[in-house]
Amino acid sequence: MKRMMIAGNWKMHLNVHEGSVLVKRLNDHIIPHHSVEVVLAPSLVSLQPISQELDHRKFRLAAQNAFYKDEGAYTGEVSFTMLRDLVHYVIVGHSERRIYFNETLETVRDKVQAAVRNELTPILCVGETKQERAANETRRVVHDQVTTALANLTAEEVENMVIAYEPIWAISTFGGEISKPDDIQKVLELIRSCIGELYGDQAAKQVRLLYGGSINADTAAGYLALPDCDGALVGGKSLNYHQFSDIVEKAYHLQSSQRRTRGQDRKTEEN
Ligand code: 13P
């Protein structure tokens, strides 16, 4: 059974002190579960101090962004190479970076490659705007984002990565419309089948697909239970330790009940 991932994207919130206060609370509140991987993506300046305070049996760290060159005269940038010993994951192609920092399909592709080259796992974000959705272009947009970003990777590299579907219209800061889980399942299914066509069944089956967009403790289970959903990328509510711990617990309960169902199915087949 695949490990579910619940990742908290803190975005540009919490200074070093505030981040440290939240981490202390999360260390106390989150119970480690083998079936659920919990990832925190604080701001860049908080990564180092948080890495020292974090209970590494419970959490893994992610950076929110990095530059695709390994080193050089790129004032203000931080490379994937520099993050190698600090984080497991790097969020790549978040819609806020595509929109506010003009990241193109090609920039995102170069960042995915830089992550893989530096043995970091990208959490690739894809998703359409409200206008694209209204024009029935969701499938085309998401397909283009996925195929461009994964170009030149091996099936094994794709199999190990994480892709988050975050429809822009559902992200709290871009309007935060509440999405219907059935609609989300259709796009997750499309992403999986697109990977199947390009990289084969094994990669399609193993790649972890997350959903993100205004998830809270009340709505999380509806998305996490979708057949193609392997976790969540949580924004605003990851800053609230009650909400975030509750989302992690929801994931754990779902994983446990699915495991029980599978066990029962196996016993029925054996009898
Ligand atoms: P919200 O959960 O605040 O909508 O943010 C989602 C997101 O962008 C996570 O990366």
Side-chain angles (χ1 to χ4, degrees):
M1 209 166 151
K2 268 187 282 182
R3 231 180 153 198
M4 219 176 230
M5 175 185 284
I6 303 296
N9 176 7
W10 294 5
K11 307 192 179 184
M12 202 174 72
H13 295 291
L14 308 187
N15 63 26
V16 173
H17 172 69
E18 292 160 342
S20 155
V21 171
L22 179 57
V23 161
K24 281 197 189 81
R25 292 198 167 131
L26 291 171
N27 276 341
D28 291 343
H29 275 78
I30 299 227
I31 302 162
H33 299 302
H34 179 70
S35 57
V36 181
E37 180 177 18
V38 187
V39 177
L40 303 180
S43 75
L44 195 59
V45 285
S46 291
L47 280 174
Q48 183 74 49
I50 284 182
S51 166
Q52 280 158 11
E53 292 163 359
L54 203 63
D55 184 338
H56 289 271
R57 291 165 307 172
K58 300 184 182 181
F59 304 98
R60 280 183 162 172
L61 277 178
Q64 296 176 18
N65 177 44
F67 189 50
Y68 54 80
K69 296 279 189 184
D70 288 343
E71 63 171 6
Y74 302 101
T75 303
E77 293 298 317
V78 166
S79 69
F80 288 84
T81 316
M82 291 168 172
L83 292 167
R84 271 180 88 136
D85 299 328
L86 200 52
V87 300
H88 272 86
Y89 298 99
V90 183
I91 298 174
V92 173
H94 192 282
S95 55
E96 286 149 19
R97 298 222 49 94
R98 295 184 196 250
I99 292 170
Y100 300 136
F101 301 97
N102 303 319
E103 290 197 6
T104 62
L105 293 176
E106 290 71 28
T107 320
V108 174
R109 176 200 60 202
D110 291 347
K111 290 188 175 198
V112 168
Q113 282 176 15
V116 171
R117 180 168 75 240
N118 284 287
E119 293 170 353
L120 291 165
T121 303
I123 301 177
L124 167 70
C125 298
V126 297
E128 80 286 6
T129 63
K130 192 180 167 96
Q131 292 74 14
E132 287 162 344
R133 181 175 188 237
N136 254 333
E137 288 189 345
T138 301
R139 297 179 78 81
R140 180 193 61 75
V141 170
V142 172
H143 182 274
D144 286 356
Q145 289 174 338
V146 170
T147 49
T148 315
L150 303 188
N152 304 330
L153 297 187
T154 65
E156 201 187 342
E157 286 161 350
V158 173
E159 175 180 330
N160 290 323
M161 66 184 280
V162 180
I163 301 178
Y165 171 52
E166 297 205 308
I168 295 170
W169 47 271
I171 294 177
S172 57
T173 44
F174 289 120
E177 264 180 60
I178 301 303
S179 61
K180 293 197 189 95
D182 284 354
D183 292 341
I184 300 307
Q185 169 56 24
K186 284 184 195 136
V187 182
L188 294 175
E189 215 175 290
L190 162 83
I191 297 173
R192 216 178 274 292
S193 78
C194 168
I195 289 173
E197 278 162 29
L198 293 167
Y199 297 97
D201 289 349
Q202 169 78 0
K205 216 169 118 200
Q206 290 304 325
V207 65
R208 284 187 292 176
L209 303 184
L210 313 184
Y211 171 66
S214 300
I215 291 188
N216 60 44
D218 295 328
T219 58
Y223 300 111
L224 295 174
L226 294 171
D228 281 300
C229 188
D230 304 306
L233 183 53
V234 185
K237 295 295 185 264
S238 68
L239 303 171
N240 174 317
Y241 71 96
H242 282 300
Q243 284 275 335
F244 194 64
S245 320
D246 269 9
I247 296 170
V248 173
E249 280 300 296
K250 297 262 155 62
Y252 171 62
H253 285 300
L254 266 166
Q255 288 285 79
S256 309
S257 65
Q258 280 174 9
R259 201 167 267 164
R260 272 198 299 275
T261 317
R262 283 182 194 187
Q264 275 159 7
D265 288 351
R266 217 172 296 131
K267 272 190 197 144
T268 320
E269 274 169 30
E270 283 163 14
N271 289 336

